[in-house]
Amino acid sequence: MDDASIVELFQKRDETAIAELKRKYEKLCFYVAENFLSQHEDIEECINSVYYSIWNNIPPDNPDNLKIYLCRIVRNTAIKRLQYNTALKRNPKFTVSIDEIADCIPSYTENYPSADQLADAISRFLKNHNEKQRKVFIRRYWYGDSLSAIAQYYAMNEKTVATYLFRTRKKLKTFLKKEGYRYE
């Protein structure tokens, strides 16, 4: 079943929508959640929360790209679960990538544009890079892949991946400054 049909089932409040979504994207959901969470129970709970969230959000939401919409919800739900699990301690598996990118993303203040506008600026930035650099950046900071996993996936040296990411973060910060974002 195609994504538009699944969204239509959600719009009609047909419970088979969840089964179709699960059939088509369950492996992807687990892949994204596993990059943030290590316990199988946490991953399953996260995925179930995602299905519940999507049921509650469509309608009124009407995603143009169900796969991206789903991945965003899985990622955000997994990050919230990770933050809950590590409230008193730091989990180096994922917090390292958050710490890496934190210097590039400006702090939120009332004077700044919305998160959507920041996301749009980052997307424009990434479109100006070659496909490999863009994909390496996305795998690290969106999917939460480790340096070694990215290196293996793209048949690269781990140090080369780290260099790609370092240079891209540096260019991103410069780009965002030119876009009017301030860093304190």
Side-chain angles (χ1 to χ4, degrees):
M1 179 174 280
D2 69 342
D3 289 356
S5 301
I6 295 172
V7 170
E8 189 176 319
L9 289 174
F10 275 108
Q11 296 286 355
K12 292 178 180 177
R13 308 308 289 161
D14 186 337
E15 292 181 13
T16 59
I18 295 174
E20 291 297 327
L21 182 72
K22 189 174 183 179
R23 183 189 59 75
K24 187 168 183 178
Y25 290 117
E26 184 173 45
K27 287 182 182 178
L28 176 63
C29 291
F30 269 86
Y31 174 78
V32 172
E34 284 174 344
N35 283 318
F36 299 95
L37 304 169
S38 56
Q39 297 294 322
H40 187 71
E41 295 81 14
D42 287 340
I43 296 167
E44 286 182 346
E45 186 176 327
C46 172
I47 302 304
N48 287 331
S49 295
V50 166
Y51 295 144
Y52 180 75
S53 177
I54 289 178
W55 179 258
N56 287 331
N57 291 334
I58 303 177
D61 292 352
N62 188 16
D64 292 329
N65 188 321
L66 183 61
K67 183 177 179 181
I68 292 173
Y69 180 82
L70 176 63
C71 284
R72 180 178 53 93
I73 293 174
V74 172
R75 179 180 180 273
N76 291 342
T77 303
I79 288 172
K80 286 179 186 173
R81 183 63 187 199
L82 176 67
Q83 289 170 339
Y84 173 81
N85 288 349
T86 59
L88 298 177
K89 58 189 182 293
R90 297 199 38 105
N91 182 345
K93 179 182 181 237
F94 186 69
T95 55
V96 169
S97 67
I98 291 174
D99 290 342
E100 287 173 6
I101 194 88
D103 290 338
C104 301
I105 306 300
S107 302
Y108 173 78
T109 66
E110 292 178 14
N111 302 342
Y112 279 8
S114 71
D116 289 340
Q117 290 170 319
L118 176 61
D120 182 54
I122 293 170
S123 292
R124 285 193 321 273
F125 167 78
L126 289 173
K127 286 178 184 176
N128 293 325
H129 287 76
N130 71 46
E131 183 179 0
K132 192 174 208 176
Q133 288 174 322
R134 187 171 52 244
K135 287 182 176 182
V136 166
F137 186 89
I138 289 169
R139 291 201 71 88
R140 179 67 171 161
Y141 301 117
W142 177 260
Y143 293 108
D145 286 353
S146 67
L147 295 178
S148 60
I150 296 168
Q152 183 179 4
Y153 189 81
Y154 291 109
M156 298 169 66
N157 184 308
E158 198 170 321
K159 289 184 180 189
T160 304
V161 171
T163 301
Y164 267 39
L165 292 169
F166 174 78
R167 290 178 180 163
T168 306
R169 287 191 315 267
K170 191 174 177 181
K171 290 175 185 175
L172 174 61
K173 188 170 184 175
T174 302
F175 175 82
L176 291 174
K177 283 181 179 180
K178 287 179 183 176
E179 290 283 310
Y181 288 93
R182 292 186 314 266
Y183 295 83
E184 296 180 18

mmCIF file of all heavy atoms in Angstrom, residues 105 108-109 112-123 181:
data_model
loop_
_atom_site.group_PDB
_atom_site.id
_atom_site.type_symbol
_atom_site.label_atom_id
_atom_site.label_comp_id
_atom_site.label_asym_id
_atom_site.label_seq_id
_atom_site.Cartn_x
_atom_site.Cartn_y
_atom_site.Cartn_z
ATOM 1 N N ILE A 105 24.531 25.245 16.395
ATOM 2 C CA ILE A 105 23.130 25.669 16.431
ATOM 3 C C ILE A 105 22.997 26.782 17.465
ATOM 4 O O ILE A 105 23.345 26.599 18.626
ATOM 5 C CB ILE A 105 22.217 24.486 16.796
ATOM 6 C CG1 ILE A 105 22.454 23.308 15.860
ATOM 7 C CG2 ILE A 105 20.755 24.910 16.793
ATOM 8 C CD1 ILE A 105 22.199 23.590 14.401
ATOM 9 N N TYR A 108 18.221 29.384 21.462
ATOM 10 C CA TYR A 108 16.927 29.995 21.173
ATOM 11 C C TYR A 108 16.716 31.216 22.066
ATOM 12 O O TYR A 108 16.969 31.172 23.257
ATOM 13 C CB TYR A 108 15.790 29.001 21.411
ATOM 14 C CG TYR A 108 14.435 29.655 21.273
ATOM 15 C CD1 TYR A 108 13.912 29.912 20.012
ATOM 16 C CD2 TYR A 108 13.715 30.061 22.383
ATOM 17 C CE1 TYR A 108 12.692 30.534 19.868
ATOM 18 C CE2 TYR A 108 12.488 30.685 22.253
ATOM 19 C CZ TYR A 108 11.984 30.920 20.987
ATOM 20 O OH TYR A 108 10.773 31.546 20.852
ATOM 21 N N THR A 109 16.275 32.276 21.449
ATOM 22 C CA THR A 109 15.811 33.443 22.201
ATOM 23 C C THR A 109 14.544 33.931 21.517
ATOM 24 O O THR A 109 14.215 33.508 20.413
ATOM 25 C CB THR A 109 16.844 34.596 22.203
ATOM 26 O OG1 THR A 109 16.974 35.098 20.871
ATOM 27 C CG2 THR A 109 18.182 34.166 22.752
ATOM 28 N N TYR A 112 14.693 35.206 17.819
ATOM 29 C CA TYR A 112 15.054 34.332 16.714
ATOM 30 C C TYR A 112 13.836 33.851 15.957
ATOM 31 O O TYR A 112 12.749 33.735 16.507
ATOM 32 C CB TYR A 112 15.823 33.116 17.237
ATOM 33 C CG TYR A 112 17.274 33.387 17.484
ATOM 34 C CD1 TYR A 112 17.793 34.664 17.404
ATOM 35 C CD2 TYR A 112 18.134 32.371 17.787
ATOM 36 C CE1 TYR A 112 19.128 34.909 17.628
ATOM 37 C CE2 TYR A 112 19.476 32.609 18.021
ATOM 38 C CZ TYR A 112 19.964 33.883 17.935
ATOM 39 O OH TYR A 112 21.278 34.117 18.159
ATOM 40 N N PRO A 113 14.052 33.521 14.679
ATOM 41 C CA PRO A 113 12.971 32.903 13.912
ATOM 42 C C PRO A 113 12.607 31.547 14.518
ATOM 43 O O PRO A 113 13.325 31.019 15.374
ATOM 44 C CB PRO A 113 13.581 32.725 12.521
ATOM 45 C CG PRO A 113 14.727 33.676 12.468
ATOM 46 C CD PRO A 113 15.231 33.788 13.881
ATOM 47 N N SER A 114 11.554 30.967 14.048
ATOM 48 C CA SER A 114 11.062 29.697 14.579
ATOM 49 C C SER A 114 12.023 28.549 14.272
ATOM 50 O O SER A 114 12.928 28.673 13.444
ATOM 51 C CB SER A 114 9.700 29.381 13.985
ATOM 52 O OG SER A 114 9.836 29.042 12.620
ATOM 53 N N ALA A 115 11.769 27.423 14.940
ATOM 54 C CA ALA A 115 12.571 26.225 14.689
ATOM 55 C C ALA A 115 12.424 25.773 13.244
ATOM 56 O O ALA A 115 13.372 25.262 12.645
ATOM 57 C CB ALA A 115 12.147 25.120 15.650
ATOM 58 N N ASP A 116 11.240 25.968 12.662
ATOM 59 C CA ASP A 116 11.038 25.609 11.254
ATOM 60 C C ASP A 116 11.931 26.444 10.344
ATOM 61 O O ASP A 116 12.464 25.939 9.360
ATOM 62 C CB ASP A 116 9.570 25.795 10.852
ATOM 63 C CG ASP A 116 8.659 24.748 11.468
ATOM 64 O OD1 ASP A 116 9.167 23.692 11.886
ATOM 65 O OD2 ASP A 116 7.435 24.991 11.523
ATOM 66 N N GLN A 117 12.085 27.718 10.670
ATOM 67 C CA GLN A 117 12.940 28.580 9.857
ATOM 68 C C GLN A 117 14.406 28.181 9.996
ATOM 69 O O GLN A 117 15.161 28.218 9.033
ATOM 70 C CB GLN A 117 12.728 30.046 10.234
ATOM 71 C CG GLN A 117 11.366 30.557 9.796
ATOM 72 C CD GLN A 117 11.054 31.924 10.365
ATOM 73 O OE1 GLN A 117 11.350 32.200 11.525
ATOM 74 N NE2 GLN A 117 10.445 32.770 9.558
ATOM 75 N N LEU A 118 14.807 27.791 11.201
ATOM 76 C CA LEU A 118 16.170 27.307 11.407
ATOM 77 C C LEU A 118 16.379 26.014 10.621
ATOM 78 O O LEU A 118 17.405 25.841 9.952
ATOM 79 C CB LEU A 118 16.454 27.094 12.895
ATOM 80 C CG LEU A 118 17.815 26.503 13.244
ATOM 81 C CD1 LEU A 118 18.951 27.412 12.764
ATOM 82 C CD2 LEU A 118 17.922 26.270 14.747
ATOM 83 N N ALA A 119 15.411 25.115 10.687
ATOM 84 C CA ALA A 119 15.501 23.861 9.938
ATOM 85 C C ALA A 119 15.589 24.128 8.441
ATOM 86 O O ALA A 119 16.357 23.475 7.724
ATOM 87 C CB ALA A 119 14.301 22.971 10.249
ATOM 88 N N ASP A 120 14.827 25.102 7.964
ATOM 89 C CA ASP A 120 14.869 25.473 6.556
ATOM 90 C C ASP A 120 16.255 26.007 6.179
ATOM 91 O O ASP A 120 16.794 25.669 5.121
ATOM 92 C CB ASP A 120 13.792 26.516 6.254
ATOM 93 C CG ASP A 120 13.755 26.895 4.797
ATOM 94 O OD1 ASP A 120 13.639 25.981 3.947
ATOM 95 O OD2 ASP A 120 13.847 28.102 4.495
ATOM 96 N N ALA A 121 16.837 26.812 7.053
ATOM 97 C CA ALA A 121 18.177 27.355 6.792
ATOM 98 C C ALA A 121 19.206 26.223 6.734
ATOM 99 O O ALA A 121 20.074 26.207 5.850
ATOM 100 C CB ALA A 121 18.559 28.368 7.870
ATOM 101 N N ILE A 122 19.104 25.262 7.641
ATOM 102 C CA ILE A 122 20.035 24.129 7.637
ATOM 103 C C ILE A 122 19.848 23.293 6.376
ATOM 104 O O ILE A 122 20.824 22.850 5.761
ATOM 105 C CB ILE A 122 19.873 23.280 8.919
ATOM 106 C CG1 ILE A 122 20.317 24.095 10.145
ATOM 107 C CG2 ILE A 122 20.672 21.981 8.829
ATOM 108 C CD1 ILE A 122 19.996 23.461 11.479
ATOM 109 N N SER A 123 18.615 23.104 5.955
ATOM 110 C CA SER A 123 18.351 22.364 4.706
ATOM 111 C C SER A 123 18.965 23.070 3.502
ATOM 112 O O SER A 123 19.574 22.427 2.646
ATOM 113 C CB SER A 123 16.850 22.198 4.493
ATOM 114 O OG SER A 123 16.300 21.352 5.453
ATOM 115 N N TYR A 181 21.751 34.577 12.391
ATOM 116 C CA TYR A 181 21.677 33.946 13.709
ATOM 117 C C TYR A 181 22.871 34.415 14.540
ATOM 118 O O TYR A 181 23.985 34.532 14.031
ATOM 119 C CB TYR A 181 21.677 32.421 13.579
ATOM 120 C CG TYR A 181 20.382 31.902 13.025
ATOM 121 C CD1 TYR A 181 20.231 31.687 11.659
ATOM 122 C CD2 TYR A 181 19.319 31.603 13.856
ATOM 123 C CE1 TYR A 181 19.027 31.218 11.141
ATOM 124 C CE2 TYR A 181 18.135 31.119 13.358
ATOM 125 C CZ TYR A 181 17.994 30.942 12.004
ATOM 126 O OH TYR A 181 16.814 30.472 11.504
#
